[in-house]
Amino acid sequence: MNVTKKKGTHKILKFFIFIVAAILVLAASFFILIFANEYKPAPEENISVNGTSSNQLKQNETVRVVTWNIGFGALGKNTDFFMDGGKSVKTSGKNEITENLNAIVEELKSLNSQIVFIQEIDLNSSRTFKINQRDFICEKIGNFQNTFANNFKCLFVPYPVPPMGKVDSGILTLSKFPVSSAKRIQLPVPFKFPVRACNLKRCLLVNRTAITGTSKELVTVNLHLEAYDDGEGKKQQTLILKKILEEESQKGNYVIAGGDFNQTFDTVDLKDFPQNEKLWKPGKIETEIFTYDFYTLMDSGNPTCRSLDKPFDSTKDFQFYVIDGFIVSKNIQVKKIETVQLNFENSDHNPVLLEVVLTGEEID
């Protein structure tokens, strides 16, 4: 090999080494930035209460409560999702998301509820074109107070391909009754570093409302428990929920917890929704841990959730779940629980409606 060719080879090799080193440095810097800015909420945080409400909550009046996982406005019937065996990461365009959000608001209005628990609502996420869905819904729905707690916050989620990007998401509670205080309570995180850094930090959103003419409060708990763990995370989070509910019940307060449990109560009849072993499987809650002081409520008449392994088509066999519902203290009379069948038009979940009366007496 002549000297000129040898020098040319060395230059190419040096350039190649430089490029590889630069890529490695940039990648390392990127991941250091993500891990250094990991969302690390405190065990308990006070949450601001926004909006106005002039409706006073009274004993012995009927209260309607809705829980709905809205799938960040991007999981309508035409979508699949990579975490459920589908292919899509960014599942809907901006116009589709706006249409879904408008439809969700109109449905909530038609349900005429005084309290609404919403899960999977984005504030500033790449997957939903940075639409502030909290402001969108609160501005359109009218006279409600609102509280919000993050449960997923990451500068950049680097998986899959293409990556999810920035996520800023959480749970929202709307109330037509004045909320005296609100608190975010952190739940155990079952994932280890580095997965933990880019994963959800699940929580409970606890609101308190005074009841006119009594010293008691209505304590509402909005929740969205673990989904993609090995099962132990769900169990630990459920036990924390149980402890909090029992503490409030023992004070004589009225307690309503609702949301997406990602589990099915063991009292639910699932014969109409057989499990496809190839798809995601929810956990099971042994309701005997709650039933001494509480009612555990899910409606098995209609599915509350569908699998996202493919777009929804009601004419084909599909995987359905019953994982959304309520836990209610026994000083509350339950008049109705109903899954509102919307055929997953604008979300991969159906809303669930609860109608109760704050009686002050245990109803067997």
Side-chain angles (χ1 to χ4, degrees):
M1 180 182 292
N2 60 46
V3 174
T4 302
K5 186 176 288 187
K6 188 174 183 179
K7 287 183 177 179
T9 302
H10 284 169
K11 285 183 179 179
I12 293 172
L13 182 59
K14 286 181 180 179
F15 179 74
F16 177 74
I17 292 172
F18 172 79
I19 293 298
V20 171
I23 291 172
L24 290 174
V25 169
L26 287 172
S29 300
F30 172 73
F31 283 105
I32 289 172
L33 179 65
I34 290 177
F35 298 144
N37 287 276
E38 178 185 351
Y39 177 48
K40 296 179 179 179
E44 293 189 6
E45 296 177 351
N46 292 325
I47 297 295
S48 62
V49 180
N50 302 300
T52 58
S53 177
S54 58
N55 300 322
Q56 297 300 313
L57 178 59
K58 301 174 184 176
Q59 206 168 27
N60 294 314
E61 76 170 294
T62 298
V63 178
R64 290 166 64 89
V65 187
V66 166
T67 182
W68 197 356
N69 182 328
I70 65 168
F72 45 93
L75 297 177
K77 69 176 183 179
N78 62 325
T79 62
D80 60 8
F81 188 55
F82 77 100
M83 288 295 285
D84 267 10
K87 299 178 181 179
S88 302
V89 180
K90 186 172 285 189
T91 55
S92 297
K94 190 171 184 178
N95 288 340
E96 289 175 305
I97 293 170
T98 302
E99 289 173 4
N100 285 336
L101 291 174
N102 276 317
I104 287 165
V105 169
E106 291 307 308
E107 181 61 31
L108 289 174
K109 287 181 177 178
S110 73
L111 291 173
N112 194 31
S113 296
Q114 295 103 320
I115 299 171
V116 180
F117 300 144
I118 295 176
Q119 302 86 42
E120 289 193 10
I121 182 166
D122 279 3
L123 265 60
N124 184 18
S125 300
S126 300
R127 63 188 180 183
T128 48
F129 303 90
K130 300 188 177 181
I131 298 170
N132 189 321
Q133 299 180 352
R134 174 188 60 188
D135 289 354
F136 185 102
I137 289 176
C138 290
E139 288 171 6
K140 288 180 176 290
I141 201 167
N143 185 30
F144 282 87
Q145 288 195 324
N146 69 85
T147 56
F148 173 86
N150 273 109
N151 63 10
F152 197 2
K153 198 170 187 178
C154 184
L155 284 176
F156 192 91
V157 180
Y159 57 84
V161 179
M164 289 178 66
K166 181 178 181 179
V167 178
D168 184 356
S169 187
I171 54 180
L172 174 73
T173 299
L174 305 173
S175 177
K176 285 195 173 182
F177 306 115
V179 177
S180 57
S181 66
K183 187 171 287 188
R184 181 194 188 279
I185 298 178
Q186 177 62 40
L187 292 171
V189 179
F191 305 105
K192 304 299 183 184
F193 184 86
V195 174
R196 183 197 67 224
C198 299
N199 218 310
L200 286 90
K201 306 298 191 300
R202 310 269 182 175
C203 67
L204 305 176
L205 177 54
V206 181
N207 283 10
R208 294 180 178 275
T209 297
I211 301 171
T212 302
T214 78
S215 60
K216 307 304 181 184
E217 296 176 303
L218 171 63
V219 179
T220 64
V221 183
N222 187 350
L223 60 92
H224 187 189
L225 302 186
E226 205 60 65
Y228 301 107
D229 65 317
D230 62 5
E232 289 305 308
K234 295 181 184 68
K235 291 178 181 178
Q236 292 177 21
Q237 292 174 359
T238 303
L239 289 175
I240 296 295
L241 171 66
K242 173 180 179 287
K243 179 176 180 293
I244 291 169
L245 299 187
E246 286 179 343
E247 288 174 351
E248 296 301 332
S249 176
Q250 288 165 9
K251 296 175 187 176
N253 288 329
Y254 300 83
V255 183
I256 300 175
D260 179 354
F261 289 83
N262 276 313
Q263 301 170 92
T264 302
F265 296 150
D266 62 358
T267 52
V268 175
D269 184 356
L270 295 176
K271 69 176 185 300
D272 293 331
F273 314 117
Q275 178 67 46
N276 182 335
E277 295 302 323
K278 295 181 180 180
L279 298 177
W280 177 81
K281 184 177 182 179
K284 181 176 287 188
I285 294 180
E286 303 295 333
T287 53
E288 64 181 11
I289 69 170
F290 287 106
T291 50
Y292 179 76
D293 291 313
F294 297 93
Y295 303 111
T296 50
L297 306 167
M298 288 181 174
D299 173 20
S300 60
N302 285 304
T304 71
C305 178
R306 68 152 176 115
S307 174
L308 287 162
D309 59 310
K310 55 190 174 184
F312 182 63
D313 184 345
S314 60
T315 65
K316 297 180 180 179
D317 290 337
F318 227 88
Q319 179 64 67
F320 297 113
Y321 306 105
V322 180
I323 57 176
D324 304 83
F326 295 92
I327 299 174
V328 177
S329 57
K330 285 193 173 179
N331 54 357
I332 295 176
Q333 178 185 359
V334 177
K335 296 180 68 176
K336 177 172 72 172
I337 181 167
E338 176 188 3
T339 302
V340 183
Q341 179 57 274
L342 300 180
N343 291 312
F344 309 105
E345 184 73 25
N346 305 112
S347 171
D348 60 320
H349 288 248
N350 283 321
V352 182
L353 172 66
L354 175 72
E355 192 171 288
V356 298
V357 178
L358 309 183
T359 64
E361 299 176 358
E362 288 195 10
I363 309 296
D364 294 324

